[in-house]
Amino acid sequence: MATGKINVSVENIFPLIKKFLYSDHEIFLRELVSNGTDATLKLKHLISIGEAKVEYGNPIIEVKVDKEGKKIHIIDQGLGMTADEVEKYINQVAFSGAEEFLDKYKDSAKDSGIIGHFGLGFYSAFMVAEKVEIITKSYKDEPAAHWTCDGSPEFTLEPADKTSRGTEIILHIAEDSLEFLDDSKISGLLNKYNKFMPIPIKFGTRTETLPKPEDAPEDYVNETVEIDNFINNPNPAWTKQPSELSDEDYKNFYRELYPMQFEEPLFHIHLNVDYPFNLTGILYFPKLGNDMQIQKDKIQLYQNQVYVTDNVEGIVPEFLTMLKGVIDSPDIPLNVSRSGLQADGAVKKISNYITRKVADKLKALFNENRADFEEKWNDIKIVLEYGMLSEDKFYEKAGAFVLYPTVDNTYFTLEELKEKLKENQTDKDGKLVVLYAGNKDAQHSYIEAAKDKGYEVLLLDSPIISHLIQKIENDNSGLTFVRVDSDHIDNLIKKDENTISKLSEEEKATLKTSLEAYIPKAYSVQLEAMDSQAAPFIITQPEFMRRMKEMSQTGGGGMFGMGNMPEMYNLVVNTNSDLASNILNTEDKTHQEHLVKQALDLAKLSQNLLKGEALTAFVKRSFEMIK
């Protein structure tokens, strides 16, 4: 029997491993199962190139919990190790990076991929075990070896009587980690980290009910059998070629990833690249609607089918973190803190690739079946609009498929829109005016006024629309977006024809003075000569002020502090209406005040601004009038 000291200059590294990886003890199982998988896949490779003259068979990895003995066994049928290799790989190599690891990554050691990178994967066992044994037999014709270490730098290494190829690791679970002897805990961890590992993983057995024979009597009790419980799917959808998968396969895989999700995804994007880096994966667009507060962290990151994290910040462009699915890449550097991850050149390339691939797929979907794409538009627009704002590369491609719906549910791309509106909605200065509403019901009267003029009105209702239209205007000179309730219709698209006012300048001045006596300070009175059939009082909200306020409320953009500005409104009074003449000509000041307040309340009502006490008073006053 050999004894020795582990080759490491830090006298006792195990407390340090425990301390720095404290937050994530559970990953010991992931690391040990991954090591077993690697050993099995390496054996497969050696057999395929003729280096190992043994039968590969159907190797599995088995995890066993021994509650009584307080032990966990992880057993593989991979290439195993000779005594010399145990000495080399376990005692020396494992710690070659240990000190550098501790110095450099103390703060980011909690990031889950870090341990394996430093050859510390095996030693994560000491986070939960007070003693670890390795019993291993190499595929080479050499005796088996038995290594034992109790968490101090001393170890023992002796021959073992194991006859089958592979490695068994036995963890003697420490008192502070007995939770890991619970079957459901282990089963949960295997499901979380190893659900798609490429070698079948057995954990215990499960009972399966056999089908009823056709000629069974009525009181027949179905027979049951105990079968091995394999917890993983070694060939998940993303490891296959898109040509091998049907739509149903993609949907089934979505259910496998998200068993508690009841809504089907709208569509998927299969990623598959091997140059200049390796990356595979499937992203799904779930139904999103207008909600910006979507549950993020729904994309799972894998490295060679081993689950790493669901924080994919920096790898996936931010606007796509609202999607669901899987990304698997051996090239993502996990040995650095997250800020380093984003700065890494390979990671930026991966992020750009994903952006491009998503844009290409959306364009293809749009071209293949536009009607279907239009139908799904409201469920996906928030992601795409956010993408246009945050990723220039996506914005460049978005013109081909981003849609602008009208209040009548017709859809245009930006180029189609320009063509459609050119003739009717160009103002006297040659500017193309795109009218839009944010809420079909609240702005109904304004929409109708625009439609009466033969104008198209878009329905743009997502929370970031003010930011987006600002960007589109900056990139398209001669184009401006104006919300339908930001002025009366003749002012929204100024043409040359001016309506003559029935009132003289002097009468207008008198009318304005009378109105301002009763109108609250939040309203700026604006007299306009309009069609006599147009509404006498219209409340509008200046486009610039409202847009800046919205932009500062949804983060970024806008002017500093404008989110807290009080609402500002214009009260547009039609000087050609009978009501304006009545207000001007009435001698009775009480009656004049009554007319102004009633008209203002009606205008407020049409803008959904009449609420609470003011609404109660208005209703009461209106009933008085119709007694």
Side-chain angles (χ1 to χ4, degrees):
M1 179 172 94
T3 60
K5 271 203 171 189
I6 290 169
N7 180 14
V8 56
S9 56
V10 177
E11 185 51 35
N12 192 346
I13 200 155
F14 300 109
L16 295 176
I17 288 178
K18 273 200 159 174
K19 185 177 168 195
F20 287 121
L21 301 166
Y22 188 74
S23 68
D24 217 358
H25 277 191
E26 61 181 43
I27 61 105
F28 80 91
L29 192 62
R30 177 190 80 181
E31 293 299 320
L32 297 177
V33 172
S34 299
N35 285 351
T37 303
D38 285 347
T40 311
L41 293 175
K42 278 177 185 153
L43 177 68
K44 187 179 191 178
H45 178 67
L46 292 178
I47 292 171
S48 72
I49 60 171
E51 289 241 337
K53 303 277 191 279
V54 291
E55 281 294 312
Y56 182 64
N58 295 303
I60 64 166
I61 290 170
E62 184 171 7
V63 178
K64 289 201 248 187
V65 173
D66 169 4
K67 270 202 184 64
E68 301 299 306
K70 296 184 184 173
K71 289 186 288 196
I72 296 175
H73 300 249
I74 293 118
I75 305 155
D76 70 60
Q77 292 148 26
L79 41 72
M81 288 182 281
T82 63
D84 287 350
E85 285 168 338
V86 172
E87 174 65 48
K88 183 175 161 192
Y89 293 123
I90 300 297
N91 296 337
Q92 292 168 22
V93 177
F95 278 114
S96 57
E99 281 182 283
E100 178 197 353
F101 160 73
L102 290 170
D103 290 346
K104 203 165 173 186
Y105 295 112
K106 280 191 187 80
D107 301 329
S108 60
K110 292 182 178 66
D111 278 4
S112 45
I114 207 161
I115 307 173
H117 189 85
F118 282 92
L120 285 167
F122 165 70
Y123 280 93
S124 63
F126 285 97
M127 294 194 298
V128 298
E130 57 190 13
K131 181 167 95 175
V132 178
E133 296 178 70
I134 303 173
I135 303 168
T136 181
K137 168 104 172 71
S138 171
Y139 71 95
K140 299 169 188 165
D141 191 16
E142 289 199 35
H146 183 179
W147 177 93
T148 312
C149 178
D150 64 0
S152 70
E154 277 88 23
F155 67 87
T156 62
L157 182 60
E158 56 192 339
D161 54 9
K162 179 175 168 64
T163 53
S164 57
R165 179 189 73 220
T167 299
E168 176 172 5
I169 291 175
I170 304 164
L171 309 181
H172 297 259
I173 301 299
E175 286 300 316
D176 63 1
S177 299
L178 296 178
E179 63 192 278
F180 292 108
L181 293 170
D182 179 18
D183 280 3
S184 62
K185 175 83 173 171
I186 294 297
S187 160
L189 291 181
L190 290 170
N191 253 304
K192 177 176 176 180
Y193 290 113
N194 307 97
K195 190 174 176 176
F196 299 112
M197 298 272 295
I199 305 294
I201 299 165
K202 178 188 168 189
F203 180 58
T205 58
R206 59 190 172 85
T207 306
E208 192 163 88
T209 306
L210 294 172
K212 204 175 195 175
E214 279 180 28
D215 54 354
E218 272 187 35
D219 57 355
Y220 179 83
V221 178
N222 286 55
E223 282 185 49
T224 59
V225 286
E226 284 295 302
I227 58 165
D228 287 348
N229 178 36
F230 286 99
I231 59 100
N232 61 326
N233 167 3
N235 303 298
W238 83 81
T239 61
K240 299 172 185 173
Q241 289 300 318
S243 55
E244 297 173 50
L245 299 162
S246 66
D247 262 1
E248 201 46 46
D249 292 329
Y250 284 111
K251 282 181 183 164
N252 287 338
F253 180 57
Y254 184 77
R255 289 182 205 115
E256 204 175 334
L257 281 173
Y258 308 105
M260 303 309 290
Q261 186 70 35
F262 301 112
E263 278 201 335
E264 296 276 301
L266 296 167
F267 48 80
H268 63 266
I269 294 172
H270 197 133
L271 305 165
N272 197 343
V273 63
D274 50 21
Y275 180 83
F277 45 79
N278 274 301
L279 175 102
T280 50
I282 300 171
L283 297 179
Y284 292 94
F285 269 78
K287 278 192 173 184
L288 291 176
N290 268 353
D291 187 4
M292 283 290 282
Q293 303 310 311
I294 304 298
Q295 175 71 52
K296 288 192 178 183
D297 297 345
K298 286 292 184 193
I299 296 177
Q300 300 175 6
L301 179 66
Y302 288 76
Q303 210 170 30
N304 294 326
Q305 293 176 238
V306 183
Y307 173 81
V308 176
T309 178
D310 58 9
N311 182 330
V312 292
E313 195 184 329
I315 297 158
V316 171
E318 194 189 348
F319 77 101
L320 293 176
T321 54
M322 295 186 236
L323 303 189
K324 295 183 171 182
V326 164
I327 283 173
D328 188 334
S329 173
D331 293 334
I332 293 170
L334 292 166
N335 56 326
V336 286
S337 65
R338 281 179 203 143
S339 55
L341 180 73
Q342 284 160 304
D344 184 274
V347 170
K348 190 69 201 137
K349 280 197 188 101
I350 288 171
S351 176
N352 288 343
Y353 165 77
I354 293 172
T355 301
R356 198 173 74 240
K357 184 77 180 176
V358 168
D360 291 345
K361 174 72 174 185
L362 290 165
K363 184 179 175 181
L365 288 165
F366 175 78
N367 291 336
E368 283 160 23
N369 189 341
R370 177 163 178 165
D372 183 56
F373 194 82
E374 288 178 357
E375 212 171 284
K376 289 171 176 166
W377 177 254
N378 281 322
D379 289 318
I380 62 171
K381 66 184 176 195
I382 194 81
V383 177
L384 308 198
E385 289 168 352
Y386 188 30
M388 288 171 78
L389 276 173
S390 58
E391 291 284 329
D392 288 342
K393 282 189 167 57
F394 188 74
Y395 181 79
E396 284 162 27
K397 289 177 169 266
F401 52 79
V402 163
L403 293 171
Y404 300 85
T406 69
V407 290
D408 300 315
N409 295 322
T410 50
Y411 293 81
F412 299 103
T413 64
L414 191 59
E415 288 311 308
E416 291 167 351
L417 195 63
K418 288 179 185 174
E419 197 51 43
K420 170 86 176 161
L421 306 185
K422 195 164 58 180
E423 199 173 326
N424 205 19
Q425 290 182 219
T426 303
D427 69 10
K428 62 186 175 60
D429 302 319
K431 230 184 178 31
L432 185 63
V433 182
V434 181
L435 299 177
Y436 72 99
N439 183 316
K440 228 164 37 172
D441 292 334
Q443 290 144 29
H444 183 266
S445 59
Y446 302 87
I447 294 167
E448 288 307 303
K451 281 185 172 179
D452 288 344
K453 294 268 190 187
Y455 297 153
E456 285 284 357
V457 181
L458 300 184
L459 180 61
L460 304 177
D461 57 2
S462 58
I464 52 173
I465 204 65
S466 298
H467 295 273
L468 186 60
I469 59 184
Q470 196 81 0
K471 187 171 172 69
I472 294 167
E473 286 172 345
N474 291 343
D475 292 334
N476 293 270
S477 59
L479 178 77
T480 182
F481 282 79
V482 183
R483 205 165 86 173
V484 282
D485 58 349
S486 60
D487 209 333
H488 79 82
I489 193 65
D490 295 340
N491 276 357
L492 290 178
I493 306 179
K494 277 202 166 80
K495 305 285 176 136
D496 279 334
E497 59 267 15
N498 280 333
T499 313
I500 312 289
S501 175
K502 287 202 299 197
L503 305 184
S504 67
E505 290 305 315
E506 197 179 327
E507 286 173 317
K508 283 203 270 194
T510 309
L511 176 62
K512 192 165 188 189
T513 308
S514 301
L515 290 166
E516 284 175 341
Y518 312 118
I519 301 284
K521 290 273 184 288
Y523 294 86
S524 165
V525 176
Q526 183 182 324
L527 301 185
E528 298 279 355
M530 296 190 276
D531 188 300
S532 59
Q533 298 308 304
F537 277 34
I538 303 168
I539 291 171
T540 63
Q541 206 174 358
E543 176 74 19
F544 175 76
M545 297 291 284
R546 194 209 72 252
R547 197 190 291 187
M548 288 299 138
K549 188 174 164 68
E550 282 174 4
M551 283 166 73
S552 55
Q553 280 168 339
T554 50
M559 284 155 69
F560 180 72
M562 284 195 75
N564 302 323
M565 288 261 303
E567 297 285 356
M568 300 293 290
Y569 297 99
N570 292 334
L571 175 65
V572 182
V573 177
N574 181 2
T575 58
N576 289 344
S577 64
D578 292 343
L579 181 62
S581 301
N582 278 349
I583 292 169
L584 176 68
N585 297 324
T586 185
E587 298 292 327
D588 180 345
K589 290 292 174 203
T590 310
H591 183 55
Q592 189 180 49
E593 180 180 359
H594 184 76
L595 286 175
V596 173
K597 287 194 169 166
Q598 188 72 3
L600 178 64
D601 280 352
L602 283 165
K604 280 181 170 178
L605 200 59
S606 80
Q607 260 283 37
N608 205 21
L609 292 170
L610 197 60
K611 294 186 170 75
E613 200 179 322
L615 179 60
T616 307
F618 168 76
V619 171
K620 192 176 176 191
R621 198 166 62 236
S622 301
F623 279 132
E624 293 291 323
M625 289 165 65
I626 56 170
K627 270 182 179 172

